[in-house]
Amino acid sequence: MSLARVVLASGRSLDLSELRLSATYGGMLGILGTPEGYPCKPVNDRKIKVLVRAAARAHPAVPVHLVPPPREYPDQYTGAYGPVEVLPAVACVGAFHSTALDRDHDPVLRRSALTIVWFQPTARVPDGYDAEETLRGVDWEGLARDYES
């Protein structure tokens, strides 16, 4: 069963079988003088690295792709770790499946899979053509891997 179906810009349909949403800055300690005290490049890079590693551990046989998140630089105080840098509010990890990459494969026995990490402004499930544009632009053929279902 699929949670949702996302249609890529290429026209390929993906079935979303698992989705994990989390607040990008949930649990931030807010202690000034540490990188965790405010959103900045070191904090964001670490958060992204942790998300990608967790996605790879959750689905070890499936490749993981990070959609590079947009980074905003509001006009705020620059701390010891550089300027304030803000990622979208919601971090997403989704397990996607589609038809096999190799068209010669039996469509019942073979499918393709890719775990995707991306960020979006709201906590909504991507659906149809209404998914984030960066998610819809993923190069499935270049990143996913076929597997036997």
Side-chain angles (χ1 to χ4, degrees):
M1 179 178 161
S2 176
L3 296 172
R5 178 161 285 172
V6 174
V7 181
L8 297 180
S10 67
R12 179 183 277 273
S13 291
L14 308 180
D15 291 322
L16 177 62
S17 61
E18 183 179 327
L19 178 61
R20 188 177 56 148
L21 303 174
S22 59
T24 300
Y25 299 110
M28 184 175 260
L29 296 176
I31 300 170
L32 293 177
T34 65
E36 292 80 17
Y38 68 98
C40 56
K41 183 169 177 31
V43 167
N44 292 337
D45 290 348
R46 186 173 31 238
K47 288 183 176 299
I48 290 167
K49 184 184 272 186
V50 167
L51 278 172
V52 170
R53 269 198 232 140
R57 279 194 309 274
H59 304 280
V62 176
V64 175
H65 174 66
L66 169 68
V67 174
R71 298 173 187 241
E72 293 183 10
Y73 300 90
D75 188 20
Q76 293 181 356
Y77 169 76
T78 297
Y81 298 98
V84 172
E85 179 185 87
V86 181
L87 299 175
V90 182
C92 309
V93 178
F96 291 91
H97 304 271
S98 186
T99 56
L101 297 169
D102 185 339
R103 296 186 189 276
D104 293 336
H105 285 154
D106 183 325
V108 175
L109 298 177
R110 301 287 286 187
R111 305 223 351 119
S112 58
L114 180 64
T115 299
I116 304 175
V117 177
W118 77 98
F119 291 80
Q120 60 186 34
T122 62
R124 66 175 181 75
V125 175
D127 193 29
Y129 294 93
D130 192 31
E132 291 294 311
E133 190 173 322
T134 55
L135 178 60
R136 292 191 61 236
V138 166
D139 175 20
W140 188 266
E141 282 69 20
L143 298 167
R145 181 179 302 148
D146 279 351
Y147 69 94
E148 194 169 318
S149 54

